[in-house]
Amino acid sequence: MLKHLYIKNYALIESLDIDFHTGFTAITGETGAGKSIILGALGLLLGERADSKSIKAGAKKCIVEAVFDISSLELDAFFSEHDIDADTDECIVRREVSDTGKSRCFVNDMPVPVTVIKSLGNSLVDIHSQHQNLLLNNKAYQLQIVDTIGQHMDQVILYKKAYASFLEADRQCSLLEQNLVALCEEQESRQFCLKEIEQARMYEGEQAELEEEATILDNAGVIKEALYQAECLLTGENSGIISSLNDCQRRLNAVNDVFSAIRPLTERIDSCSIELDDIRNEISSLLYRIQFDPERQNFVNERLDLINSLESKYHQTDIKGLLKLAEDMRSRLEETSDSEEELEKWRQKREEAHHQAWDIARQLSASRCKAIPQVEASVSERLMALGMPHVRICIDHKETETLSPTGIDNITLLFSANKEMPLREIASIASGGEMARVMLSLKAILATSCTLSTLIFDEIDTGVSGRTAEQMALTMKDISRHGTQVISITHLPQIAAQGDYHYLVYKEETADSTVSHIKKLTKTERIQEIAHMLSGVTITEAALLNAQALLDHNLKP
């Protein structure tokens, strides 16, 4: 429940510091006094869009802070999920908006995103204004009413989990199917690449060998001529180096016996002769091997062209890179079968999740069918007490052929306020006052079916008066007796008189500005305010007596 509210520099409010209580509280005041401003500040606190225009003129920022009693709420999991320090009894929510439009949110003095206080606010306060009557047009809201009153929210949660699992499996299948299509297209390209490299039958180092051979073949004539000339120089009969060296060797050997100092030289000449003869043999061998072969030259050049084109096409610098690329292609070609296996697994999961969701949806639908007569009877009974003796409420139920986020149920709330009026969709036939009473009846029933911490009615009584207004007040008071804190912003004295507490919102005009205030009324002040609501500006004796009589009906004066 809302225990304390502090507002500073919001719209016409300079500073407001007020305590609230359990039970039923009425808030009244002249039109434009600032009742809606207080509600707007509370909405801002609970996550509505921040606007720097809401800051009081001349102020740098506005602050809205509230203290809630959460002892009856189970919020430990929420605080744990968002890593917020928690007190078992109280929760402090604060929001600040600067004149630059920046907003900061805090829960128990810890900064949090606005989404957190918005989610938390759904558990703390239910603000019912006239526009919320439009929820009656919403099929999902109508289902929520049936589920809450039928008390099978556990089934709803179970279905939502099963449906979420089905959606996740379906999403994964779609994603894998798209990836598989793209992968197959890529695999075609990889298969072509692998085939092209494999058909080339290259081996590491081949390119260097071919380039060397190409150079030799391109220069075969020059090489052969050089070898031939070198061989002639070594082996010429008269002027050949070997012949001359042999002649030199004979001449020295002739005096070798008589001149011992020459022996080392003859040994060295012997070594040179052997080396030169070996060189001559190698030159002769090379001369024989070097042949100009146009066919081989064409083959080598074509082979090099093939290798170079593959390197250029696949952005590699050598054959080693091409062979590594081919190995990668072989590995990645196996991905298709892996992806197909993964897709088949998810298809199986999707089928199982779909089957499970359908089973739970059917069980939930059966529970809803059982709850519908109870909802119809409860709402009708409440509406009759609210001045609609001939009201008829019917919930038309149909099953859908496909799963939806809410199950397989499509319901329509049908309504008739008079005997002669046929049942029609409530949105197309109910007046504003009738819609307000239907929503009040639903809130009253919900209060007995689930935990509503704080319920705020913002002028829900618009369009009603007299006995109906009194019954609406009693209904609100009855809601408060079931543990829900009820706060009603009202223009009707019948409702104000039934409040356990009564607050007055009023404006104060100064030379520089207009400021809104709120105060808790004493019993005497309540009589004066209710008499003012009954008779207008001039408070008559009859109005005072009437106000006293209205307050006498209050169970807790």
Side-chain angles (χ1 to χ4, degrees):
M1 59 161 275
L2 176 62
K3 292 179 63 177
H4 184 82
L5 181 63
Y6 171 72
I7 305 173
K8 185 174 180 63
N9 295 329
Y10 182 82
L12 296 180
I13 298 174
E14 188 174 273
S15 181
L16 182 150
D17 210 340
I18 187 168
D19 293 320
F20 287 94
H21 311 275
T22 59
F24 179 26
T25 297
I27 299 177
T28 63
E30 296 287 350
T31 300
K35 300 187 297 299
S36 60
I37 294 175
I38 295 174
L39 200 61
L42 192 56
L44 177 69
L45 179 73
L46 299 175
E48 291 184 4
R49 189 176 66 87
D51 189 345
S52 60
K53 294 178 182 178
S54 62
I55 301 175
K56 184 173 175 59
K60 293 294 184 181
K61 70 175 180 179
C62 73
I63 302 173
V64 185
E65 181 177 282
V67 180
F68 294 92
D69 182 341
I70 60 171
S71 56
S72 62
L73 303 177
E74 298 179 358
L75 294 174
D76 291 346
F78 178 88
F79 290 133
S80 177
E81 177 186 353
H82 297 285
D83 198 22
I84 297 172
D85 292 338
D87 186 297
T88 55
D89 296 325
E90 283 189 352
C91 175
I92 302 172
V93 182
R94 183 172 83 255
R95 192 171 185 189
E96 302 175 358
V97 181
S98 69
D99 56 359
T100 61
K102 292 184 178 179
S103 167
R104 297 196 302 165
C105 307
F106 303 85
V107 175
N108 294 338
D109 289 327
M110 297 183 66
V112 297
V114 68
T115 52
V116 171
I117 62 169
K118 196 165 188 175
S119 178
L120 178 61
N122 292 332
S123 300
L124 299 175
V125 180
D126 181 356
I127 299 177
H128 181 89
S129 57
Q130 293 181 52
H131 76 270
Q132 199 184 35
N133 293 337
L134 298 175
L135 283 173
L136 285 175
N137 304 339
N138 189 303
K139 299 295 180 70
Y141 181 74
Q142 294 175 15
L143 268 178
Q144 183 183 345
I145 295 294
V146 172
D147 291 333
T148 305
I149 295 174
Q151 295 187 341
H152 37 72
M153 291 303 294
D154 288 345
Q155 284 180 282
V156 173
I157 294 171
L158 193 62
Y159 171 74
K160 286 183 177 179
K161 288 181 179 179
Y163 184 68
S165 296
F166 164 66
L167 289 182
E168 174 60 17
D170 187 59
R171 186 186 72 82
Q172 287 289 348
C173 285
S174 297
L175 184 63
L176 286 170
E177 285 167 355
Q178 293 173 10
N179 290 344
L180 188 58
V181 170
L183 183 60
C184 287
E185 293 175 354
E186 291 177 4
Q187 297 296 59
E188 289 181 8
S189 174
R190 290 170 185 159
Q191 187 70 51
F192 180 82
C193 169
L194 178 60
K195 183 179 179 181
E196 199 169 26
I197 294 174
E198 286 181 338
Q199 285 180 340
R201 298 183 181 279
M202 297 172 290
Y203 58 87
E204 207 170 323
E206 180 186 8
Q207 188 172 14
E209 294 174 4
L210 289 171
E211 287 174 345
E212 182 180 0
E213 185 178 359
T215 301
I216 293 172
L217 288 169
D218 290 343
N219 297 279
V222 175
I223 295 170
K224 198 171 183 68
E225 178 64 21
L227 291 171
Y228 175 76
Q229 293 295 335
E231 185 181 37
C232 289
L233 289 171
L234 288 171
T235 60
E237 290 184 2
N238 298 321
S239 60
I241 296 173
I242 293 176
S243 176
S244 298
L245 189 62
N246 288 336
D247 186 50
C248 177
Q249 188 178 28
R250 283 193 301 272
R251 292 178 183 278
L252 290 177
N253 283 335
V255 294
N256 190 36
D257 292 336
V258 295
F259 187 41
S260 59
I262 209 169
R263 289 175 186 169
L265 295 177
T266 58
E267 291 176 358
R268 290 169 65 185
I269 290 173
D270 286 342
S271 296
C272 289
S273 178
I274 294 171
E275 181 67 18
L276 285 173
D277 191 57
D278 187 59
I279 290 172
R280 179 190 62 75
N281 289 331
E282 287 194 26
I283 289 175
S284 179
S285 176
L286 289 174
L287 185 60
Y288 174 77
R289 285 164 50 193
I290 296 296
Q291 301 292 332
F292 177 68
D293 186 346
E295 290 185 3
R296 179 63 184 177
Q297 186 180 38
N298 288 336
F299 170 80
V300 170
N301 289 334
E302 288 174 359
R303 185 72 177 160
L304 283 171
D305 288 344
L306 172 63
I307 293 171
N308 289 328
S309 67
L310 289 175
E311 288 173 348
S312 175
K313 182 176 182 178
Y314 296 114
H315 309 289
Q316 302 298 319
T317 58
D318 52 27
I319 290 177
K320 183 178 180 180
L322 288 172
L323 296 177
K324 177 64 169 59
L325 178 63
E327 185 61 33
D328 291 343
M329 293 300 103
R330 288 189 196 94
S331 299
R332 300 190 69 178
L333 281 170
E334 297 175 2
E335 293 179 8
T336 303
S337 58
D338 293 341
S339 296
E340 288 173 345
E341 290 177 8
E342 183 73 6
L343 175 58
E344 188 55 37
K345 289 179 183 177
W346 276 105
R347 283 173 174 168
Q348 183 66 29
K349 288 182 181 179
R350 179 175 63 182
E351 184 178 349
E352 292 172 357
H354 188 255
H355 181 73
Q356 184 180 20
W358 261 103
D359 284 346
I360 298 173
R362 291 189 185 97
Q363 296 170 21
L364 177 59
S365 182
S367 298
R368 285 168 171 168
C369 287
K370 290 179 182 178
I372 283 174
Q374 176 190 350
V375 177
E376 293 171 340
S378 299
V379 177
S380 296
E381 182 180 352
R382 291 273 182 179
L383 288 174
M384 288 177 187
L386 289 173
M388 301 173 68
H390 304 299
V391 70
R392 283 179 294 154
I393 293 287
C394 177
I395 297 177
D396 181 53
H397 174 265
K398 292 183 177 64
E399 284 192 5
T400 60
E401 295 181 355
T402 57
L403 295 174
S404 75
T406 56
I408 56 172
D409 302 286
N410 184 4
I411 69 169
T412 304
L413 182 60
L414 303 177
F415 171 84
S416 174
N418 304 298
K419 290 181 179 179
E420 68 279 5
M421 292 293 293
L423 286 165
R424 292 181 183 172
E425 287 192 39
I426 189 168
S428 66
I429 192 173
S431 65
E434 289 168 344
M435 292 276 275
R437 279 177 276 180
V438 172
M439 283 299 293
L440 178 59
S441 299
L442 291 173
K443 296 288 185 182
I445 297 169
L446 289 174
T448 62
S449 303
C450 63
T451 302
L452 294 177
S453 178
T454 297
L455 183 54
I456 300 177
F457 292 105
D458 180 23
E459 299 183 358
I460 193 177
D461 47 47
T462 301
V464 298
S465 59
R467 175 67 178 167
T468 301
E470 183 179 358
Q471 288 299 319
M472 290 184 75
L474 291 173
T475 299
M476 293 181 196
K477 192 156 192 169
D478 183 58
I479 295 173
S480 71
R481 294 296 179 262
H482 285 86
T484 298
Q485 179 189 39
V486 177
I487 300 172
S488 177
I489 298 173
T490 181
H491 287 293
L492 296 181
Q494 295 94 330
I495 293 178
Q498 286 295 331
D500 299 320
Y501 307 92
H502 188 161
Y503 291 83
L504 175 67
V505 179
Y506 61 97
K507 285 194 301 188
E508 189 174 63
E509 302 283 351
T510 66
D512 300 325
S513 64
T514 301
V515 180
S516 289
H517 300 281
I518 186 171
K519 69 174 182 176
K520 182 182 176 183
L521 300 181
T522 65
K523 182 178 179 181
T524 301
E525 289 171 334
R526 288 189 72 179
I527 294 173
Q528 289 288 327
E529 171 62 11
I530 292 172
H532 174 67
M533 295 172 74
L534 287 166
S535 64
V537 178
T538 304
I539 301 177
T540 64
E541 185 66 26
L544 290 170
L545 291 173
N546 197 2
Q548 180 66 63
L550 285 172
L551 281 174
D552 286 341
H553 284 84
N554 192 334
L555 299 178
K556 187 179 179 181

